Amino acid sequence: NLESRVYAELSRQLVNNLFGETPQSEGVITLEGNTIEYSVDGDYITLKITDEEGNETIITLPIGDFSF
């Protein structure tokens, strides 16, 4: 349950920072020793996740048209 709450909070922060009232084109979030850097170039969102040991994972997502 705690892990779900942590992921939900991380997701909320990223969504607010990227798509909220004052969107940011880049930023850094630190969570449980991991650093998550995000950037937006207009077409893609890039997440660079660095763990405590320095291992990096980079995820690139197309922005596209989000609609429901």
Side-chain angles (χ1 to χ4, degrees):
N1 194 14
L2 176 60
E3 186 176 358
S4 295
R5 288 182 184 177
V6 169
Y7 288 129
E9 179 62 22
L10 173 61
S11 175
R12 185 190 66 74
Q13 286 181 26
L14 279 172
V15 168
N16 284 342
N17 289 346
L18 292 169
F19 306 108
E21 291 181 24
T22 55
Q24 302 172 9
S25 61
E26 59 185 31
V28 177
I29 296 173
T30 303
L31 180 67
E32 294 187 0
N34 301 296
T35 303
I36 302 166
E37 299 174 56
Y38 62 88
S39 63
V40 180
D41 68 7
D43 295 321
Y44 295 95
I45 298 169
T46 301
L47 302 173
K48 178 180 167 187
I49 304 160
T50 307
D51 68 13
E52 294 174 323
E53 298 173 3
N55 299 309
E56 294 180 352
T57 301
I58 298 175
I59 302 169
T60 302
L61 304 165
I63 293 176
D65 295 323
F66 289 106
S67 62
F68 296 98

